[in-house]
């Protein structure tokens, strides 16, 4: 039995992230008729209605999607959030509100919602689209233990969930997981390009690089050893792996990765500050 059983979940916005989360929820057994999506785009509503979901045109009735909901997921762009949610703020009473919009603090969201405080802020990443996501969560002091369970269940339907105690740590979540799929794609891209340069064809280089990334991640997840120890174990003295690792160390790749993550962290902070003005 799931904590989400018979809970009505409404999504404000029916874009890619909303559809990823909805797919995860349905895959976990949530009945489509318990899910409502409010989106002004008729083609999006028609596509979702064909899957058995309830759909609402928020331009016709802003309150329709939230008034009977137990959970409201805000999945619209940060730039339009104020205009979108301000229209139904008065319809909120006890609903749990989960925002997946980057850069919007719970304080700012609360202000947009006329002081409403039952808010959880989420930072998912794009692998949520294949139910392999990683999401950081932060909740206001108003969030009860039951609501925390509900938020966890909603986001766990699309992957791993980690709570942070300090909202400022959501910037670190952005650097470590939110933006990180792009780091992995960049690393794979570079490996494939070099594999081709060394004589492999595109299919061979891509398949080997991708499987190696998957396999290494799985080993790290399943092992009791830290990544540094796993690296040491596969690095034979004077072997090929040692030559590659020493080249990375000589080029200070670890520092460069750290600087890239710091740049992501700093930009996340800056975006939040810009949004709050």
């Amino acid at each position: 039995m799931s904590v989400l059983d018979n809970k009505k979940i409404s999504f404000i916005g029916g874009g890619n992230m909303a559809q990823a989360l909805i797919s995860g929820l349905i895959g976990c057994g949530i009945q489509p008729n318990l899910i409502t999506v409010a989106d002004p785009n008729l083609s999006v509503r028609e596509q979702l209605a064909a899957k058995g979901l309830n759909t609402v045109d928020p331009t016709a009735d802003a309150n329709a999607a939230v008034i009977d909901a137990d959970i409201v997921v805000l999945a619209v762009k940060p730039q339009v959030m104020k205009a979108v949610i301000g229209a139904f703020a008065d319809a909120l009473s006890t609903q749990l509100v989960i925002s997946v919009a980057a850069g919007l603090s719970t304080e700012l969201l609360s202000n947009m919602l006329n002081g409403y405080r039952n808010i959880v802020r989420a930072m998912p990443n794009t692998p949520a689209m294949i139910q392999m996501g990683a999401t950081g969560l932060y909740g206001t002091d108003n969030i009860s233990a039951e609501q925390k369970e509900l938020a966890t269940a909603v986001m766990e339907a699309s992957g791993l969930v980690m709570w942070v105690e300090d909202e400022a740590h959501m910037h670190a979540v952005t650097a470590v997981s939110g933006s990180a799929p792009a780091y992995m794609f960049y690393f794979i891209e570079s490996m494939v390009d070099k594999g081709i340069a060394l004589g492999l064809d595109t299919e061979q280089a891509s398949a080997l690089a991708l499987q190696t990334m998957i396999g290494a991640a799985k080993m790290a997840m399943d092992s009791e050893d830290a990544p540094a120890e796993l690296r040491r174990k596969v690095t034979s003295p004077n072997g090929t792996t040692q030559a590659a690792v020493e080249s990375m160390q000589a080029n200070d790749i670890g520092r460069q990765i750290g600087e890239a993550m710091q740049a992501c962290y700093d930009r996340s902070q800056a975006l939040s500050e810009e949004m709050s003005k």
Side-chain angles (χ1 to χ4, degrees):
M1 184 174 179
S2 167
V3 295
L4 295 177
D5 285 349
N6 300 316
K7 297 295 184 183
K8 294 180 180 179
I9 307 172
S10 288
F11 285 79
I12 310 303
N16 288 338
M17 186 54 70
Q19 292 190 37
L21 296 173
I22 289 166
S23 294
L25 289 166
I26 293 174
C28 288
I30 303 302
Q31 296 300 310
N33 62 7
L34 291 173
I35 300 174
T36 298
V37 182
D39 195 287
N41 189 313
L42 176 60
S43 64
V44 170
R45 295 200 306 273
E46 289 176 340
Q47 176 188 356
L48 295 170
K51 298 179 180 180
L53 280 67
N54 303 302
T55 60
V56 172
D57 180 357
T59 61
D61 187 350
N63 292 338
V66 303
I67 197 162
D68 292 325
D70 298 295
I71 302 164
V72 177
V73 181
L74 306 179
V76 297
K77 294 180 180 179
Q79 296 85 346
V80 300
M81 183 68 81
K82 184 174 183 179
V84 171
I85 68 177
F88 63 75
D90 291 340
L92 294 171
S93 54
T94 60
Q95 297 94 326
L96 168 63
V97 174
I98 303 173
S99 170
V100 298
L104 297 182
S105 68
T106 53
E107 180 180 3
L108 184 56
L109 287 163
S110 179
N111 290 340
M112 292 179 184
L113 292 169
N114 300 333
Y116 194 76
R117 294 284 297 165
N118 293 348
I119 301 170
V120 168
R121 178 179 170 187
M123 171 52 67
N125 61 13
T126 53
M129 295 179 182
I130 57 168
Q131 284 71 62
M132 291 289 287
T135 299
L137 293 176
Y138 170 80
T140 64
D141 292 341
N142 280 51
I143 297 300
S144 66
E146 179 185 0
Q147 288 176 322
K148 189 172 181 178
E149 276 191 81
L150 290 174
T152 299
V154 169
M155 302 309 296
E156 271 187 342
S158 294
L160 175 76
V161 166
M162 297 293 290
W163 285 85
V164 297
E165 297 295 324
D166 186 337
E167 188 166 8
H169 292 163
M170 292 296 280
H171 302 302
V173 170
T174 303
V176 174
S177 62
S179 295
Y183 318 160
M184 306 302 144
F185 298 147
Y186 188 76
F187 192 80
I188 293 167
E189 176 189 358
S190 300
M191 289 179 66
V192 171
D193 287 347
K194 187 60 179 178
I196 293 169
L198 292 172
L200 299 176
D201 63 35
T202 302
E203 182 181 357
Q204 291 169 331
S206 296
L208 290 168
L210 288 167
Q211 183 60 37
T212 299
M213 181 71 78
I214 294 169
K218 180 64 173 166
M219 281 187 68
M221 290 176 70
D222 292 347
S223 176
E224 295 182 359
D225 292 330
E229 178 62 14
L230 290 173
R231 173 175 59 79
R232 187 193 66 76
K233 286 182 175 180
V234 301
T235 305
S236 302
N238 300 315
T240 56
T241 306
Q242 181 174 322
V245 171
E246 286 181 348
S247 174
M248 291 182 190
Q249 291 172 335
N251 286 289
D252 214 352
I253 299 299
R255 177 186 59 78
Q256 292 181 38
I257 292 170
E259 288 182 355
M261 293 175 68
Q262 186 66 51
C264 178
Y265 180 95
D266 293 344
R267 183 57 182 150
S268 178
Q269 282 189 319
L271 285 172
S272 287
E273 291 169 7
E274 291 170 15
M275 291 289 181
S276 65
K277 292 179 181 177

